[in-house]
Amino acid sequence: MIRSTAQVESVAPEPRIGVYVCRCGGNISDVIDTEKVAETIKLVPGVRVSKVHSFMCSEPGQAMIAEDIKKEQLNRVVVASCSPFLHELTFRVAVRRGGLNPYLYEHVNIREQGSWSHHGDPEGATVKAIRLLAAAVHRLYHAEPLEQIRLPSHRRALVIGGGIAGLKAAVDLAAKDVGVVLVEREPQLGGRLLGLASLFPNDESGRAQIDRLVGEVQNNRNIEVLTGTVIKSVSGFLGNYDIAVGPASAGGAADVEAGGAKEKKLSVGAIIVATGHDYYRPGSGEYGFKRYTQVVTMPEFIDLLAGASRDGIEFNGQRIRRIGFMHCVGSRQIEGIHQPQADGRVNDYCSRVCCTTVLHQALHAKRRFPYLAVFDFHQDIRTYGRLHEDYYRRASEAGVVFFRFHGDEPPLVEGGVDGYPVQVRLKDWLTWGEEIVVPLDLLVLAVGMVARDNRELVNLLKLPIGADRFFQEVHPKLRPVETSVNGILLAGTAQAPMTIEETLASASAAASKAACLLAHDSVELETFKARVDADKCIGCGLCFPECAYEGALVRTNVEREGKTVTLASVNPGLCVGCGACVPVCPTRAIDLQGWTLSQFEAMVDGLLSAPLPSQPATSESSSHGKAH
Amino acid sequence: MQNSQVQSAYFDVVVVGGGISGIQAALDLGDQDHKVLLVERSASIGGKMISLSKTFPTLDCSSCITTPKMSAAFHHPNIQVWTSTDVERVESSDGVRKVHLCRHPTYVDNSLCIGCRLCEYACPVEYPDPFEEGLGAQRAIAVPFTNALPQKAVLNPRYCIACGACIKACPTDAVQFDQREERLTVEAGAVVLTTGFALNSLELKREYNAARSANIISPLQLERLLVPHGPYGRVLRPSDGKVPGNVAFVLCAGSRDQSIGVLYCSRFCCMYSIKQAMLLSGALPTAELTIYYMDIRAFGKGHEQFYQNAKAMGIQFVKAKVASIEPVTGDDISLRVELEEEAGRVAERRHDLVVLAQGAIPVFEPAKALNTPAAEDGFLRQPDSVKITWTGVEGVFAAGCALGPKDIVDSIVEAGAAAMEASKFLAMRTAGRSPAQKPDRLANPVGT
């Protein structure tokens, strides 16, 4: 599967190069003398054809190139036009149409980097175009036909985490006939939602949503569920991951707890990380937490409300009539104001769901017990989502009293007087900075979401973590559910705080990306990878510390003159083609396929030896045909 | 593009709307080997995002993120793109979706047009450029904007004087004055609606008097002023070309407001206003920048940190719902506000440029176009709490701002989710079908 990378650059046949200069309807030719460029570049050895067209990318332009390849038996092509970003692919396809390998093509940008940037200097821009073209021609002397690397892959995905994100991703993939192994650390599926009695925005219970998905998972021949199980080891790359799983906790009692989870080896093509979040745990004394018994966290309050009898909410023997909700506990923290977390950083992010949760729960409580007096302490009310603003309006209408504090002056929680166990003291900016004291029977801390301690998994998967300790995506817009490890995707609150709807969207998006990656029986990898010339490699090992992608460079034992020597070789599945290994090699045994050192050297030669219109052309071309 | 063979076309999925959500949905579906038709009403795909300067919270260039996705969709072997095409109605019955389309004449044959712009250079008529939000000029026949896809000229009949200069200039005889509107119906296994949003009118809130001053502008106009290749090439205020020195951003100028009937939060205005203020502070280091807000809703990943950075940069955040806006002498504008943090003092604050954060409102009319009621907020319904991108109509899914205002990141993620649901729907539908019944693939039409 890992093919030999010890190839020697094939000796190119006599180069027959076609050069095509585009006028771009005046965009280029108004500044650059395209005719002169085409005429001059003919003096560079190997150039057989040199033509100008008003729109090389148009159908007639492309057809001309394809026809010339056949008629003039061209074996390399250069087009000088706009940015390769726009049309490199267009011309690679055109070259293929002419029957040539698409990597025997070089694209030169003489518009963005020529006529547009040097519009005040036509002569200089013309010379620059010629130099760039000469460099491209010289580079092509050393070009070789390349193909994308295609490796067989497993049409199966590993989903880590059996909460709502993992369940949704599993159900989606299974419906697309992708096999799924769903691994959950706890003995049962469901995750955090099982503890939520009523969800916004539709008042459905968390269990009802989970039951729907678990029902689909359990009756699915494409899904294998492993509860009480954790990941033990991971190796491989996109399309070909080898995973070992085992019982959640080692030791005697674990087997019982883990419901008989066993060691097991799996082969999968992609991995979806859906490990969820933890709730923020306030420090002792933070907003009176643990100092006063009547200070609870939001999850505790949700349980309390769900379990309250018709007679009202009772907590620690106290009948609850006045409830306060404190926003931003463990979120939007400010350095110097809030205690740093264990890693020395504060949680400076917004947890996204707490504002709506507070208002939803406040309304819920008021609806059940209309006599309740409810107080809300916030910085901003962030009811951004669909129907969320409704809760804010209805809470105001229901008589919830709102107070607004500044983040750098958080409210103080004190022991109460007159039979009230606790009171909140704050400067309220809705009444122009007045100091207000609110006596309460119960204070609910709207705790934010924090990243789980996933240290082991992070090490196994080698995933990047953001400053907020959540898993980091490659790019929030270009690749929002992908990690920098090809084939490992993120779903749900493992990535950032999210509502349930957003979690479901993220899980489906991750499933969709996995389905795209595994749509065929093989995966295609870019061809620009390092390769080692085994004859030149002396096994010094200098390249290994330079490589940031574990497993990309492999130590391989080879018999040489009766002795076993250890040489470097490349696993193209794991190599990203960054080239970091190339310059440290003392014998130049390593090169980047498609971007070889000799190609770069030839480009420099081309730049310097380019025939220029103002001087008689010199036809010495130092790199042509010379060995390096 | 105008091609008579397509009359009886069948696609696995028709994606309606070629903004960033539609592009992402089409890409996810195309990559899963579904045959996709991406329909866009305007002359280029790219939607609102392609006209933005930079995007929050990473401040990367919007074009640089949009164009690769546009071009990936446009050149995708499984995706056909039809621009200048409206979806009038989607019917869902007997296991098939019928999408009724109206293709508007562009008066240019896309199979002949090579995008050389010679017609544009020859055209003697100029009108306010819609892509530049009316701030620059556009020719009556033109390629819509620099990185438009397709790079094909479009003639605007409202401004064309039929002088024929474009016909003479065109090297490929692509200009055709006799093109007509064309109605056709395509069948689809599933439909994904990514119809996006519109902004409510600047003049909707009458006490803000936007009609009375050119210096009360929309956020999209400011985006164009902020792009390096924008209409003026720099930030100038429209009335007199003065470099603004004191800019106000008025949040919730079209949302969270019962007086105009938009009760919901438009979700992205806080963040783009903060972003615009940041970009302005880079472009005009001495300018005073004030954001008037009710609540700062910086809820997304990296958003709160972005907001705190803006505060640290000296951008003023004033908690106030602006009561009224009046043009005053010198083309300046006066805002009447109650300063909650200054003991409730009522003040008149003078600025030389004011940006109104308009509300995001729906463009798709579910009752008319899909025979299903809209949700209370006017956007498509989401009746299933687990399949959140399902519209309640069999085989019809939606994503992005068609399901309510949403920022780019959330839209892109949701587009992936809608693609997944559509693909699942197709998989379940074809599970019992023999391969012979599977519709043939359609040849890619000219022009894509």
Side-chain angles (χ1 to χ4, degrees):
Chain A
M1 202 174 65
I2 297 169
R3 63 181 195 161
S4 158
T5 51
Q7 316 177 329
V8 189
E9 246 175 73
S10 58
V11 181
E14 190 209 348
R16 299 178 63 88
I17 301 175
V19 177
Y20 298 88
V21 184
C22 182
R23 294 194 193 98
C24 197
N27 270 309
I28 293 170
S29 55
D30 284 353
V31 178
I32 292 174
D33 185 341
T34 43
E35 269 67 16
K36 192 176 273 175
V37 172
E39 187 188 309
T40 315
I41 204 70
K42 270 191 192 145
L43 300 171
V44 178
V47 176
R48 289 300 155 119
V49 178
S50 166
K51 290 184 178 172
V52 181
H53 194 281
S54 276
F55 295 97
M56 205 62 78
C57 61
S58 65
E59 186 45 39
Q62 292 189 43
M64 175 174 81
I65 297 173
E67 203 176 299
D68 280 0
I69 292 173
K70 289 176 191 149
K71 208 169 66 193
E72 303 285 337
Q73 288 162 352
L74 301 179
N75 52 22
R76 279 136 175 75
V77 169
V78 185
V79 172
S81 63
C82 54
S83 160
F85 194 69
L86 282 172
H87 280 311
E88 184 172 40
L89 198 64
T90 311
F91 291 117
R92 279 205 202 287
V93 172
V95 163
R96 196 198 293 265
R97 254 167 68 187
L100 208 55
N101 180 284
Y103 291 92
L104 297 173
Y105 167 74
E106 183 68 5
H107 193 98
V108 179
N109 179 356
I110 58 166
R111 192 178 75 171
E112 285 83 347
Q113 293 171 3
S115 59
W116 284 1
S117 42
H118 306 294
H119 53 83
D121 179 13
E123 241 164 76
T126 304
V127 169
K128 182 176 176 183
I130 293 167
R131 285 197 190 276
L132 290 174
L133 266 170
V137 169
H138 279 247
R139 179 167 132 78
L140 280 180
Y141 296 154
H142 299 267
E144 53 186 337
L146 298 171
E147 292 299 335
Q148 290 226 307
I149 299 169
R150 189 170 267 284
L151 298 172
S153 71
H154 301 287
R155 198 175 159 80
R156 189 147 79 131
L158 168 70
V159 177
I160 308 175
I164 187 150
L167 290 169
K168 177 68 176 167
V171 164
D172 283 359
L173 280 173
K176 288 282 300 175
D177 238 1
V178 175
V180 177
V181 184
L182 178 59
V183 170
E184 166 59 46
R185 186 167 61 178
E186 300 296 322
Q188 84 282 356
L189 295 172
R192 296 237 169 258
L193 246 65
L194 293 176
L196 301 178
S198 166
L199 309 174
F200 64 79
N202 48 21
D203 289 335
E204 200 178 349
S205 80
R207 181 168 286 282
Q209 280 198 9
I210 292 297
D211 284 349
R212 264 183 75 186
L213 286 168
V214 168
E216 283 185 60
V217 163
Q218 280 171 343
N219 298 319
N220 203 310
R221 66 188 164 86
N222 284 333
I223 303 177
E224 182 184 356
V225 177
L226 301 173
T227 50
T229 301
V230 293
I231 312 300
K232 296 287 186 190
S233 76
V234 177
S235 63
F237 45 88
L238 169 64
N240 296 276
Y241 282 106
D242 293 313
I243 316 283
V245 298
S249 46
D255 266 352
V256 190
E257 234 178 274
K262 290 189 187 77
E263 302 280 341
K264 197 166 179 173
K265 296 219 180 301
L266 314 163
S267 295
V268 298
I271 301 171
I272 294 181
V273 179
T275 48
H277 65 278
D278 274 328
Y279 291 119
Y280 176 74
R281 194 79 192 146
S284 198
E286 188 177 352
Y287 291 109
F289 188 67
K290 288 211 175 129
R291 184 174 302 158
Y292 306 107
T293 54
Q294 301 303 93
V295 177
V296 298
T297 64
M298 180 58 87
E300 288 163 349
F301 176 75
I302 290 173
D303 286 346
L304 186 63
L305 183 62
S309 74
R310 204 174 287 186
D311 306 332
I313 310 173
E314 206 157 295
F315 188 60
N316 287 330
Q318 174 110 9
R319 173 56 85 70
I320 308 298
R321 294 175 177 280
R322 293 168 68 88
I323 303 182
F325 288 94
M326 184 66 68
H327 289 244
C328 299
V329 178
S331 310
R332 299 183 69 185
Q333 292 180 328
I334 301 170
E335 234 171 283
I337 306 279
H338 297 91
Q339 284 291 318
Q341 304 302 307
D343 62 357
R345 286 187 298 232
V346 294
N347 295 346
D348 57 1
Y349 56 87
C350 166
S351 286
R352 200 162 172 149
V353 300
C354 342
C355 280
T356 310
T357 305
V358 164
L359 298 177
H360 179 241
Q361 290 300 324
L363 276 168
H364 208 49
K366 282 284 278 184
R367 199 164 47 226
R368 283 192 65 191
F369 309 110
Y371 58 84
L372 282 176
V374 178
F375 305 90
D376 175 292
F377 308 98
H378 68 270
Q379 304 183 62
D380 295 282
I381 295 286
R382 293 184 166 172
T383 43
Y384 63 88
R386 214 173 172 190
L387 301 172
H388 297 189
E389 188 76 4
D390 240 26
Y391 291 120
Y392 190 15
R393 187 177 48 77
R394 277 159 51 199
S396 310
E397 285 165 6
V400 173
V401 181
F402 290 89
F403 300 96
R404 178 166 178 264
F405 63 88
H406 282 178
D408 51 6
E409 278 181 302
L412 298 172
V413 178
E414 307 167 340
V417 289
D418 301 334
Y420 290 107
V422 67
Q423 66 185 29
V424 171
R425 179 186 299 275
L426 83 161
K427 207 184 246 186
D428 171 40
W429 289 100
L430 294 178
T431 50
W432 312 320
E434 197 180 344
E435 185 166 294
I436 288 178
V437 175
V438 186
L440 298 169
D441 298 317
L442 185 71
L443 176 64
V444 180
L445 305 182
V447 289
M449 291 187 182
V450 294
R452 293 197 120 153
D453 181 7
N454 280 317
R455 229 164 303 172
E456 275 171 42
L457 198 59
V458 169
N459 287 337
L460 286 174
L461 299 175
K462 294 172 190 67
L463 293 183
I465 299 292
D468 55 9
R469 298 176 224 97
F470 288 91
F471 287 113
Q472 186 71 44
E473 66 283 346
V474 179
H475 187 284
K477 298 178 187 76
L478 288 174
R479 295 162 73 187
V481 295
E482 292 169 75
T483 68
S484 57
V485 186
N486 224 350
I488 303 188
L489 310 162
L490 302 174
T493 53
Q495 186 182 10
M498 291 180 196
T499 65
I500 291 157
E501 284 172 58
E502 288 156 358
T503 297
L504 287 164
S506 140
S508 289
S512 177
K513 190 52 70 184
C516 292
L517 292 172
L518 307 179
H520 306 105
D521 297 331
S522 59
V523 287
E524 255 187 16
L525 306 174
E526 194 46 82
T527 182
F528 304 112
K529 307 282 181 186
R531 68 178 175 214
V532 180
D533 181 345
D535 293 338
K536 288 189 189 163
C537 179
I538 52 169
C540 67
L542 283 176
C543 48
F544 282 89
E546 300 305 318
C547 181
Y549 301 90
E550 204 177 300
L553 279 172
V554 185
R555 280 175 224 273
T556 316
N557 289 331
V558 178
E559 291 295 316
R560 189 179 275 177
E561 291 160 11
K563 276 186 274 178
T564 305
V565 288
T566 305
L567 304 180
S569 67
V570 176
N571 180 341
L574 292 170
C575 175
V576 300
C578 70
C581 53
V582 176
V584 297
C585 179
T587 60
R588 289 187 59 165
I590 307 191
D591 231 333
L592 207 57
Q593 188 163 281
W595 291 100
T596 61
L597 283 174
S598 37
Q599 284 177 328
F600 281 111
E601 285 163 355
M603 286 176 83
V604 175
D605 290 342
L607 283 170
L608 297 176
S609 68
L612 299 179
S614 52
Q615 64 195 55
T618 56
S619 54
E620 43 169 302
S621 148
S622 55
S623 69
H624 179 210
K626 256 192 210 173
H628 287 271
Chain B
M1 225 181 64
Q2 269 75 17
N3 186 332
S4 57
Q5 294 161 20
V6 301
Q7 296 283 353
S8 58
Y10 174 93
F11 295 89
D12 293 334
V13 187
V14 173
V15 177
V16 184
I20 191 64
S21 303
I23 289 171
Q24 186 62 53
L27 283 172
D28 272 31
L29 287 162
D31 282 350
Q32 293 178 53
D33 294 335
H34 297 299
K35 301 296 161 198
V36 180
L37 171 64
L38 177 59
V39 180
E40 166 57 40
R41 187 168 60 172
S42 61
S44 168
I45 55 171
K48 296 263 192 313
M49 187 177 171
I50 191 63
S51 72
L52 306 181
S53 55
K54 294 186 174 181
T55 58
F56 62 79
T58 41
L59 287 185
D60 37 20
C61 145
S62 192
S63 299
C64 307
I65 299 170
T66 324
T67 41
K69 293 217 185 224
M70 285 164 70
S71 128
F74 199 77
H75 295 293
H76 199 292
N78 291 332
I79 302 173
Q80 280 192 43
V81 178
W82 291 358
T83 49
S84 301
T85 305
D86 251 325
V87 169
E88 297 189 319
R89 214 152 33 84
V90 177
E91 279 177 274
S92 178
S93 60
D94 306 328
V96 74
R97 264 46 58 196
K98 282 191 176 147
V99 183
H100 302 283
L101 301 167
C102 175
R103 308 182 81 168
H104 301 296
T106 61
Y107 305 102
V108 171
D109 184 338
N110 276 6
S111 66
L112 296 174
C113 177
I114 53 171
C116 69
R117 297 193 159 185
L118 292 179
C119 55
E120 189 176 329
Y121 306 144
C123 177
V125 185
E126 287 185 335
Y127 71 100
D129 187 350
F131 185 72
E132 300 290 0
E133 298 293 325
L135 296 176
Q138 177 66 289
R139 301 289 171 95
I141 184 166
V143 175
F145 51 92
T146 324
N147 35 15
L149 257 185
Q151 280 278 310
K152 305 286 178 188
V154 177
L155 182 145
N156 186 334
R158 247 182 88 192
Y159 295 96
C160 176
I161 54 170
C163 68
C166 51
I167 295 179
K168 285 191 209 104
C170 180
T172 62
D173 294 329
V175 183
Q176 294 174 349
F177 279 7
D178 58 353
Q179 260 188 21
R180 279 163 195 281
E181 205 169 72
E182 189 188 348
R183 284 197 159 67
L184 56 133
T185 300
V186 295
E187 291 195 355
V191 171
V192 176
L193 299 169
T194 48
T195 44
F197 66 99
L199 291 175
N200 53 21
S201 161
L202 266 188
E203 292 157 29
L204 186 63
K205 206 155 167 66
R206 299 211 2 232
E207 56 272 40
Y208 286 178
N209 285 308
R212 287 174 47 208
S213 172
N215 294 335
I216 301 175
I217 63 170
S218 80
L220 283 175
Q221 285 180 315
L222 185 56
E223 289 292 332
R224 297 312 299 165
L225 293 178
L226 284 166
V227 295
H229 50 284
Y232 308 153
R234 54 194 291 208
V235 182
L236 302 172
R237 70 175 191 179
S239 82
D240 54 3
K242 186 187 137 185
V243 176
N246 191 345
V247 183
F249 295 85
V250 179
L251 296 186
C252 300
S255 330
R256 301 184 65 193
D257 191 335
Q258 283 187 315
S259 75
I260 53 170
V262 180
L263 301 182
Y264 54 84
C265 166
S266 289
R267 199 160 156 161
F268 41 57
C269 330
C270 284
M271 289 307 295
Y272 74 61
S273 299
I274 295 172
K275 171 205 75 181
Q276 291 184 335
M278 271 192 179
L279 294 176
L280 268 183
S281 97
L284 313 168
T286 58
E288 282 186 51
L289 305 165
T290 311
I291 295 179
Y292 296 93
Y293 71 96
M294 302 211 290
D295 297 280
I296 291 291
R297 296 189 163 171
F299 55 83
K301 192 167 184 172
H303 293 189
E304 177 69 19
Q305 296 90 326
F306 192 77
Y307 167 38
Q308 297 304 334
N309 286 346
K311 282 210 260 186
M313 283 168 74
I315 293 161
Q316 295 296 310
F317 287 82
V318 175
K319 163 99 174 148
K321 171 85 180 174
V322 173
S324 65
I325 301 176
E326 290 281 340
V328 290
T329 51
D331 286 357
D332 284 357
I333 298 130
S334 173
L335 269 58
R336 190 175 171 83
V337 287
E338 182 195 36
L339 300 170
E340 285 188 19
E341 316 223 317
E342 291 180 30
R345 181 168 67 84
V346 174
E348 300 279 344
R349 309 247 307 203
R350 199 171 163 132
H351 297 275
D352 52 15
L353 186 68
V354 172
V355 189
L356 298 185
Q358 295 156 284
I361 53 172
V363 284
F364 187 82
E365 297 172 70
K368 215 171 98 186
L370 192 58
N371 198 24
T372 185
E376 225 172 291
D377 56 11
F379 293 93
L380 282 154
R381 293 187 308 131
Q382 295 173 274
D384 189 319
S385 61
V386 173
K387 286 182 191 165
I388 55 147
T389 56
W390 183 50
T391 62
V393 177
E394 190 188 69
V396 182
F397 306 89
C401 295
L403 295 176
K406 216 162 272 117
D407 68 25
I408 293 168
V409 174
D410 290 347
S411 295
I412 290 174
V413 169
E414 202 167 73
M420 190 72 227
E421 294 294 354
S423 179
K424 276 165 68 183
F425 178 79
L426 293 173
M428 283 183 260
R429 223 172 121 259
T430 47
R433 243 205 237 186
S434 72
Q437 282 173 283
K438 244 190 151 174
D440 287 340
R441 73 178 289 178
L442 200 89
N444 231 22
V446 186
T448 58

